[in-house]
Amino acid sequence: MNLDKRDSFVLIGLTSIAIFFSVLFYLDLNRKIDIGDREVVGTIFFKNNIVQRKFEDEVIWEKLENNSPLINKDTIRSEAFSDAIIRLKDGTEINIDENSMFNLDLTGDEPNLEFSEGSLEVKKNDSNANQIKITSSGNEINVDSGNVKIEKAKDQELSLFVEKGKTTVKQNGKTVSVDQGKKAEFKSSGIEIKKIPIVLLTPASQKLFYTDPTEALVNFTWKVESGYESPILEISRSPNFQMTFFSEPINGNQTNVSLKEGTFYWRVKVKNKSGTETSETNKLFVSKLEPFLAESPNPGTVIPFVQTYPLVTISWSKLTTANSYQLLLSDSNQFQNPIKRIETSANQISLDDLKEGTYYWKVIAKSSFPDTKDRETKVYSFAIKKGNQVPAPKWQRPMPDSEISLDDIKQNQAILIWEGNAEIHSYTVLIAKDTKFNNPIVNVDTTTNYLVPNWNGLGLGTFFAKIIGKTKEGKETESSQTLSFSVIDKKKKIEVVTNAEDSKPQSNQEPKLESMSPNGAMIQMKGKTSLDFQWKVSGLVPDRYDIVLYQHLPDKKIAIYKVSTKDSFYHLKDLSILDEGSFSWDLSVYKNANLLLSRKGTFILALDQLKSLKPTDIEFISPKRLYKEKK
């Protein structure tokens, strides 16, 4: 079929419009939503898995990060096996179970929570005189004080349990009071108020237990009103008890059950002449006792400086059971009068105002779980000492005696990287074929802490490299240690020989990180719309991965981005937080809320497309995605 000129113009125009709006839709779907000047009403802390939110004026659901700010009129929903807690500014706490959804509207003097489905526990701060109104399917619950639990499974009626305090409920204009120890069932025929015949005593809801070594022995106790008998304890992995793995009659009002790692729900059923009654549902967690240790500086480290006080980065291991940390820094190991007491949700703090002397530090991990003790690290020490010589640079990559193939060079994975120092203004990099550097092939000055040599000019063979730092005053440091490496054509393939016994599948195979990208590469970002992270883990199927991205400046290392994902890849689309230079990223692998392994990758970014930008072209977005060091 031949088209005349007019038809061709129409076809081209319609195609262009379709492409234009498709691009707009894709960009809107993948853009990062800015909080802007919206009112922050609280903070959400994760215990497990993913929780999402949707702004009032948006249609896109966005994954929330740990310690994310919550905005007035947010709609919140949780995925399967999710656990999170919301702390509102007025002190109210909302515990969210899996597969739950609600909307927060704290406008005016009457806070409102519109509940759709799932399970919530609301702990109201009694010092706040305002009620919390919870609405669901035309029903209304007004919490005056205390703790209440709300449950609404799909296609089932709403149930309310009043554990503490006083609550009023309303349906079809009729208001009824529900006192402590009673429950309300919202039926089509009206509200039915009952006394809860079983009171769950221990463990308290949201209680955390540690395995010893692979299981935790949990003591379950309850109280049954007279006239009820034959208690049956039920324990399940799901709040709807579709997967009940423990259901046994119990003689008396207590029993012990050994539980492995995971999240568990429990309840008790009793009988009387009228039939069977069921208690409220409580939740508990069983986890391994993770090690809580210092990462840097190493105990007893002496940090030298000449004129400028050094930047000291204090870091420690992350705990999945903690929602925040408190760093205590003192000039005494007794900590009577700490020099610094800093609260943070990150697992590192950078300080640049510490003078010469010996310092002692420890970290207190604030538990996310009620009735669970905070954990403390040991007491560690380091010293800051004034000297006459700026420390020599230290090599980071490549490793000594490593091999660099032409393939590595082609893929921008051949980079020389060393540790920077705030007092060093520039570096001289020397590369030669002899250890005495009589005739250096490369003699380059740079202000960065990395270099990509002209590999084609080097050719194949064994080479030696060293670095000399230079201060602003022109004073040179001592030379770094001599680094040896080889440039080869191709790396040899390593053959792995296995026997039949080794090839058998192992049920308890240790997790192993097989690949991690980017790592040791120079990434040219020109024309790219995202920074792509990929990895491969063998030995298990993790629940989630955490990524923390750090930017390395001459005098400090800053965490600039953090995200959780269930995929073995992540595309960072917000390039406005990036700049040219050196970066590193931590990958943490979790299974059943336990940290199984953690690895670090390093890379260099070249952002050619940003060189023409003016400072006014860059807009800083939501604080929840930018991590600022506390000082």
Side-chain angles (χ1 to χ4, degrees):
M1 180 179 69
N2 294 323
L3 297 175
D4 59 27
K5 192 175 291 186
R6 182 179 176 183
D7 291 335
S8 298
F9 283 139
V10 172
L11 181 60
I12 293 171
L14 292 174
T15 304
S16 301
I17 291 171
I19 293 173
F20 175 74
F21 281 103
S22 297
V23 171
L24 285 181
F25 176 74
Y26 174 81
L27 292 175
D28 185 69
L29 193 65
N30 291 276
R31 69 189 170 94
K32 295 292 183 182
I33 303 172
D34 187 4
I35 289 178
D37 58 357
R38 296 178 168 120
E39 181 189 359
V40 175
V41 296
T43 309
I44 188 166
F45 301 91
F46 283 93
K47 295 175 184 174
N48 193 28
N49 272 2
I50 300 299
V51 177
Q52 297 176 310
R53 71 117 156 265
K54 183 169 67 69
F55 289 132
E56 179 189 21
D57 53 354
E58 297 285 347
V59 296
I60 305 298
W61 286 95
E62 181 185 30
K63 287 183 180 179
L64 284 168
E65 299 163 13
N66 198 14
N67 291 323
S68 291
L70 287 184
I71 310 304
N72 197 26
K73 300 188 178 180
D74 270 353
T75 298
I76 309 296
R77 71 179 181 187
S78 59
E79 295 184 359
F81 304 108
S82 295
D83 301 297
I85 183 171
I86 291 174
R87 290 192 177 97
L88 300 180
K89 283 186 172 181
D90 66 0
T92 299
E93 290 189 357
I94 303 172
N95 285 298
I96 310 169
D97 275 343
E98 62 178 87
N99 299 319
S100 300
M101 186 164 70
F102 63 92
N103 175 270
L104 273 173
D105 185 358
L106 304 184
T107 306
D109 296 330
E110 191 178 55
N112 180 57
L113 190 156
E114 187 177 348
F115 177 63
S116 300
E117 64 178 334
S119 177
L120 298 176
E121 181 177 3
V122 179
K123 297 180 180 180
K124 184 180 177 298
N125 185 357
D126 294 347
S127 63
N128 186 357
N130 294 335
Q131 289 183 333
I132 295 179
K133 183 170 72 173
I134 303 168
T135 56
S136 178
S137 303
N139 302 307
E140 187 176 304
I141 301 168
N142 291 287
V143 183
D144 293 313
S145 62
N147 304 350
V148 299
K149 281 187 179 179
I150 309 159
E151 298 175 1
K152 186 179 186 299
K154 194 172 182 180
D155 302 325
Q156 293 187 16
E157 302 292 346
L158 178 71
S159 295
L160 166 70
F161 295 84
V162 179
E163 295 183 333
K164 178 184 174 184
K166 186 177 180 181
T167 301
T168 58
V169 296
K170 184 186 293 186
Q171 184 186 60
N172 299 326
K174 182 181 178 181
T175 301
V176 182
S177 293
V178 185
D179 296 326
Q180 180 174 322
K182 293 186 178 181
K183 69 176 181 178
E185 295 180 351
F186 294 79
K187 300 182 178 181
S188 56
S189 58
I191 302 172
E192 186 176 334
I193 307 296
K194 295 181 179 179
K195 187 171 184 179
I196 303 175
I198 321 107
V199 178
L200 304 183
L201 300 178
T202 61
S205 189
Q206 309 289 322
K207 177 72 174 177
L208 172 67
F209 294 88
Y210 292 114
T211 58
D212 184 22
T214 59
E215 294 184 337
L217 185 65
V218 181
N219 177 242
F220 294 90
T221 65
W222 56 88
K223 180 182 177 182
V224 180
E225 294 290 325
S226 60
Y228 293 87
E229 57 185 12
S230 305
I232 297 174
L233 173 64
E234 294 186 336
I235 306 174
S236 175
R237 291 278 191 178
S238 63
N240 55 18
F241 287 81
Q242 290 181 346
M243 298 183 291
T244 302
F245 73 90
F246 184 95
S247 180
E248 294 183 9
I250 305 297
N251 291 323
N253 60 356
Q254 69 169 347
T255 189
N256 295 323
V257 180
S258 292
L259 300 174
K260 295 183 181 295
E261 294 176 64
T263 301
F264 299 91
Y265 299 85
W266 70 284
R267 66 187 183 186
V268 176
K269 289 184 175 181
V270 291
K271 295 179 181 179
N272 68 355
K273 296 178 181 179
S274 303
T276 301
E277 290 287 348
T278 305
S279 72
E280 62 180 318
T281 299
N282 272 3
K283 184 198 296 186
L284 64 94
F285 306 89
V286 179
S287 174
K288 286 182 180 178
L289 185 63
E290 304 166 277
F292 191 31
L293 305 169
E295 291 183 347
S296 72
N298 292 326
T301 295
V302 177
I303 304 171
F305 76 99
V306 177
Q307 290 182 334
T308 305
Y309 290 129
L311 180 87
V312 180
T313 298
I314 301 174
S315 63
W316 53 91
S317 56
K318 288 190 294 186
L319 292 182
T320 57
T321 57
N323 59 41
S324 65
Y325 304 93
Q326 184 182 67
L327 170 68
L328 297 178
L329 185 74
S330 176
D331 54 8
S332 163
N333 59 6
Q334 300 301 313
F335 293 89
Q336 291 96 338
N337 296 297
I339 298 170
K340 291 185 182 291
R341 189 188 299 265
I342 303 174
E343 300 280 348
T344 178
S345 58
N347 65 320
Q348 75 166 29
I349 293 289
S350 293
L351 304 168
D352 60 1
D353 58 350
L354 298 181
K355 300 180 180 180
E356 187 175 13
T358 300
Y359 295 90
Y360 300 88
W361 66 279
K362 66 179 179 179
V363 179
I364 302 172
K366 303 291 185 178
S367 178
S368 302
F369 302 86
D371 302 323
T372 303
K373 290 183 179 179
D374 295 338
R375 294 185 59 190
E376 288 189 13
T377 62
K378 295 179 181 178
V379 176
Y380 303 98
S381 68
F382 63 89
I384 297 176
K385 187 175 182 180
K386 184 176 176 62
N388 298 319
Q389 182 71 30
V390 177
K394 294 181 181 179
W395 286 105
Q396 290 183 336
R397 292 184 68 91
M399 299 298 291
D401 302 318
S402 60
E403 294 180 335
I404 298 172
S405 69
L406 297 181
D407 228 19
D408 294 332
I409 296 171
K410 187 178 179 180
Q411 296 176 14
N412 292 318
Q413 293 183 0
I415 313 171
L416 305 182
I417 306 175
W418 55 91
E419 188 178 290
N421 187 296
E423 295 191 272
I424 298 179
H425 181 255
S426 64
Y427 303 89
T428 300
V429 184
L430 301 174
I431 302 177
K433 288 222 171 192
D434 64 288
T435 56
K436 294 183 179 180
F437 294 87
N438 291 324
N439 296 299
I441 306 170
V442 174
N443 188 338
V444 176
D445 290 329
T446 177
T447 56
T448 66
N449 68 321
Y450 61 90
L451 177 70
V452 181
N454 180 6
W455 296 108
N456 294 329
L458 288 179
L460 304 179
T462 300
F463 299 90
F464 303 92
K466 67 179 181 180
I467 321 159
I468 300 171
K470 188 180 291 184
T471 65
K472 287 183 179 180
E473 293 76 23
K475 188 175 180 179
E476 291 187 348
T477 69
E478 292 184 359
S479 171
S480 70
Q481 291 186 346
T482 299
L483 172 73
S484 65
F485 60 91
S486 300
V487 180
I488 61 174
D489 185 11
K490 289 184 179 180
K491 291 183 179 179
K492 295 179 181 179
K493 292 184 178 180
I494 301 175
E495 294 185 5
V496 180
V497 180
T498 60
N499 55 39
E501 187 68 26
D502 293 334
S503 62
K504 289 180 181 179
Q506 300 178 14
S507 58
N508 296 320
Q509 185 179 357
E510 288 293 321
K512 180 182 178 182
L513 185 67
E514 295 186 356
S515 61
M516 186 178 185
S517 173
N519 190 17
M522 167 75 80
I523 303 174
Q524 297 288 345
M525 293 297 292
K526 187 173 183 178
K528 292 188 177 182
T529 58
S530 65
L531 175 59
D532 301 326
F533 298 88
Q534 298 180 33
W535 55 90
K536 183 178 180 182
V537 174
S538 62
L540 83 166
V541 179
D543 291 335
R544 82 172 197 269
Y545 306 93
D546 282 359
I547 295 175
V548 182
L549 177 63
Y550 299 92
Q551 182 175 6
H552 295 251
L553 302 176
D555 59 345
K556 62 178 126 179
K557 168 184 169 184
I558 302 176
I560 60 172
Y561 194 81
K562 180 180 179 183
V563 70
S564 296
T565 178
K566 292 183 177 180
D567 302 315
S568 58
F569 60 87
Y570 183 74
H571 304 301
L572 174 58
K573 300 180 185 297
D574 185 10
L575 302 185
S576 67
I577 66 173
L578 303 175
D579 198 356
E580 287 186 313
S582 180
F583 292 81
S584 65
W585 60 292
D586 291 345
L587 175 69
S588 301
V589 182
Y590 290 88
K591 181 71 175 179
N592 296 327
N594 295 305
L595 178 64
L596 299 183
L597 61 88
S598 180
R599 297 290 184 272
K600 183 186 296 292
T602 58
F603 59 94
I604 306 295
L605 281 188
L607 300 177
D608 293 341
Q609 74 269 36
L610 291 187
K611 288 183 178 179
S612 61
L613 290 181
K614 303 183 294 294
T616 53
D617 294 330
I618 300 176
E619 176 187 1
F620 288 94
I621 63 169
S622 167
K624 82 181 181 64
R625 300 182 185 87
L626 296 176
Y627 283 69
K628 182 179 179 181
E629 298 285 350
K630 291 188 178 181
K631 296 191 171 96

